[in-house]
Amino acid sequence: MPLHIAVDPLHGPQIAALLQAHLDEMHRISPPESVHALDLARLRAPDITFWSAWEGDALLGCAALRELDSTHGEVKSMRTEPAARRRGVAAALLTQVMDEASRRGYRRLSLETGTQPKFAPARALYARFGFETCGPFAGYVEDPCSTFMTRALSGAQDGTRQ
């Protein structure tokens, strides 16, 4: 069965459970001041578009795009169900986020992820998609538990790197 990715209204119990598992894991791995994962209420804000990935009735993952300003977006809430990992779900979701950011005319897409070994697969995925480490952005501060990454999007001028 093919993977289906769609904008999600964040009302179903499956997505609530996936996001709660994400928050719980982030709090197990990182100190409280280093957890930047968003809860359901914050993900429903108008500056965020949220997608879920499904295979039939099975929820496989999710991702969100937060608008920082008219030229800069942030990847948020990337999560793949453990049983669906290493099947291309995260890559498909990241492609969806990047395509939407480009469609909106963003020149830059950034993200924050962890420095701990548990986050190594995420950092590798982002690097494979052209993200490079950078300093804090959008109100984040230096944190030994955070890796900040960014990339220019197609159509961006050479001088737009931040």
Side-chain angles (χ1 to χ4, degrees):
M1 191 169 283
L3 184 68
H4 174 70
I5 298 174
V7 172
D8 192 302
L10 293 159
H11 296 302
Q14 285 178 287
I15 199 65
L18 179 67
L19 289 169
Q20 189 60 55
H22 181 62
L23 284 168
D24 291 348
E25 184 174 29
M26 296 306 101
H27 283 282
R28 275 193 306 277
I29 296 170
S30 301
E33 67 275 9
S34 299
V35 175
H36 303 289
L38 303 177
D39 63 15
L40 269 172
R42 180 62 183 99
L43 287 167
R44 289 184 179 127
D47 63 335
I48 295 179
T49 303
F50 185 88
W51 291 270
S52 55
W54 299 81
E55 191 175 68
D57 293 335
L59 175 61
L60 302 185
C62 63
L65 173 61
R66 177 179 171 215
E67 181 171 302
L68 300 175
D69 63 40
S70 64
T71 64
H72 193 182
E74 179 182 8
V75 178
K76 295 296 293 181
S77 300
M78 286 282 298
R79 175 74 178 191
T80 302
E81 280 284 4
R85 291 185 181 151
R86 310 210 62 71
R87 291 180 42 201
V89 175
L93 283 161
L94 187 55
T95 298
Q96 177 71 41
V97 170
M98 291 174 64
D99 288 350
E100 177 62 17
S102 292
R103 188 192 67 73
R104 292 180 185 183
Y106 294 168
R107 291 188 200 125
R108 179 150 303 284
L109 191 58
S110 301
L111 61 92
E112 180 276 338
T113 192
T115 58
Q116 300 90 329
K118 179 85 172 166
F119 294 99
R123 292 190 307 270
L125 171 74
Y126 298 133
R128 197 170 81 232
F129 274 76
F131 286 83
E132 300 173 343
T133 58
C134 65
F137 62 93
Y140 288 105
V141 297
E142 286 292 340
D143 181 337
C145 294
S146 288
T147 298
F148 302 100
M149 301 180 84
T150 194
R151 67 157 285 163
L153 295 174
S154 59
Q157 300 299 319
D158 289 340
T160 61
R161 296 208 112 166
Q162 296 177 5

